[in-house]
């Protein structure tokens, strides 16, 4: 709890959580998605679909699953993995194939890159963890080249007939798994609450269009609790 005269710094809180959970992040993603997480990361890498070669960046790269998949899928491209967590990056750098990626510690809200630096941008579970959704997507628009594509993997609040069941599962099962698998219920209580409070794909798509992205599409996954969105910056 912060006092009225103490600004709340969501970035610092989130950074602390991800520093803490880095050691079991991959394991928990596997368990919480019943093994589907790696498949979704492969789809995100495929959706960015750059021209031969080029510059690609994976934001909120975490342990580098999407960045490493892009390096494998697009061997002629230069792939950069960016995260604000030093411990996440340390884990990513220890994985097989990590030498094929340029790893960079940076904040997605203020990227240390020139305008129109990248042919493609990917990200996994970044948007729900930032205080300014519009701002972080505008920053991506800035560093993306005209004609380039972004591909986003994100959680989304359940909807439809399964909504009550899935909300119950997210609210109670996710923290319980955090306790059993990672012995860290508190961190996964935050991840549960950030999922339920996050915007719908329709809202995110509207923000993307408002910024200037075109051809915005999405596909829900896992009973509507995860989503992949993709969009293009006009030439």
């Amino acid at each position: 709890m912060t006092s009225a005269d103490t600004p709340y710094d969501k970035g610092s809180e989130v950074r602390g959580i991800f520093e803490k959970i880095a050691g079991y992040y991959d394991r928990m993603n596997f368990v919480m998605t019943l093994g589907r997480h790696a498949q979704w990361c492969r789809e995100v890498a495929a959706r960015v679909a750059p021209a031969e070669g080029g510059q690609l960046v994976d934001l909120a790269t975490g342990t580098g699953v999407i960045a490493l998949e892009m390096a494998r899928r697009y061997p002629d491209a230069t792939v950069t993995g960016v995260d604000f967590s030093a411990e996440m990056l340390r884990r990513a750098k220890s994985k097989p194939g990590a030498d094929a990626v340029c790893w960079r510690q940076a904040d997605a809200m203020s990227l240390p890159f020139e305008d129109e630096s990248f042919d493609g941008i990917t990200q996994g579970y970044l948007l729900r963890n930032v205080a300014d959704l519009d701002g972080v997507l505008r920053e991506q628009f800035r560093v993306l080249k005209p004609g380039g594509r972004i591909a986003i993997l994100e959680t989304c609040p359940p909807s439809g007939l399964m909504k009550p069941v899935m909300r119950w599962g997210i609210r109670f099962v996710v923290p319980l798994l955090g306790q059993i698998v990672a012995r860290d219920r508190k961190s996964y209580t935050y991840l549960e609450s950030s999922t339920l409070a996050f915007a719908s794909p329709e809202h995110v798509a509207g923000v993307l269009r408002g910024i200037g992205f075109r051809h915005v599409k999405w596909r829900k996954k896992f009973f509507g609790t995860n989503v992949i969105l993709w969009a293009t910056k006009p030439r």
Side-chain angles (χ1 to χ4, degrees):
M1 182 71 68
T2 57
S3 65
D5 57 353
T6 304
Y8 169 59
D9 185 352
K10 181 174 182 178
S12 294
E13 179 193 19
V14 173
R15 182 183 289 108
I17 289 171
F18 282 94
E19 289 281 317
K20 184 179 180 182
I21 69 175
Y24 42 82
Y25 185 69
D26 288 339
R27 187 187 325 142
M28 278 296 294
N29 280 340
F30 180 87
V31 171
M32 288 190 302
T33 66
L34 301 181
R36 292 171 171 83
H37 180 254
Q39 175 186 334
W40 300 339
C41 290
R42 289 193 294 270
E43 182 175 341
V44 168
R47 289 286 181 190
V48 80
E52 186 174 351
Q55 301 283 331
L56 303 174
V57 63
D58 180 45
L59 304 177
T61 195
T63 57
V65 179
I66 296 175
L68 291 167
E69 174 61 24
M70 287 200 295
R72 185 198 67 78
R73 183 179 290 268
Y74 311 115
D76 296 327
T78 299
V79 178
T80 301
V82 173
D83 203 283
F84 66 178
S85 166
E87 183 60 21
M88 284 287 190
L89 289 173
R90 188 182 73 80
R91 300 276 175 174
K93 291 175 184 178
S94 70
K95 290 187 172 182
D99 290 347
V101 178
C102 304
W103 305 102
R104 186 89 177 256
Q105 186 174 6
D107 190 333
M109 293 297 303
S110 182
L111 294 170
F113 306 115
E114 299 293 329
D115 294 357
E116 300 181 1
S117 293
F118 295 102
D119 300 279
I121 297 174
T122 58
Q123 61 208 268
Y125 307 126
L126 166 65
L127 301 183
R128 73 161 187 245
N129 291 309
V130 299
D132 184 358
L133 175 63
D134 184 89
V136 77
L137 289 172
R138 286 188 183 279
E139 184 70 347
Q140 293 175 44
F141 191 85
R142 178 184 71 80
V143 301
L144 187 63
K145 294 179 183 179
R149 180 179 283 187
I150 66 169
I152 300 165
L153 172 62
E154 193 49 84
T155 58
C156 59
S159 60
L161 294 176
M162 292 293 290
K163 179 179 177 178
V165 175
M166 297 312 298
R167 283 185 67 88
W168 179 89
I170 292 171
R171 188 175 298 279
F172 294 103
V173 176
V174 170
L176 179 61
L177 287 174
Q179 177 64 39
I180 295 171
V181 177
R183 301 189 185 282
D184 184 357
R185 188 182 188 94
K186 182 178 179 181
S187 294
Y188 281 89
T189 298
Y190 161 76
L191 295 175
E192 162 261 314
S193 62
S194 67
T195 295
L196 293 176
F198 188 57
S200 67
E202 291 84 356
H203 179 82
V204 177
V207 174
L208 288 165
R209 293 189 188 100
I211 290 168
F213 285 102
R214 296 294 177 263
H215 310 299
V216 181
K217 298 180 180 179
W218 71 85
R219 179 174 294 172
K220 290 185 177 181
K221 305 288 183 180
F222 204 48
F223 305 105
T225 60
N226 283 256
V227 63
I228 296 175
L229 304 98
W230 59 98
T232 304
K233 182 175 179 176
R235 294 186 183 277

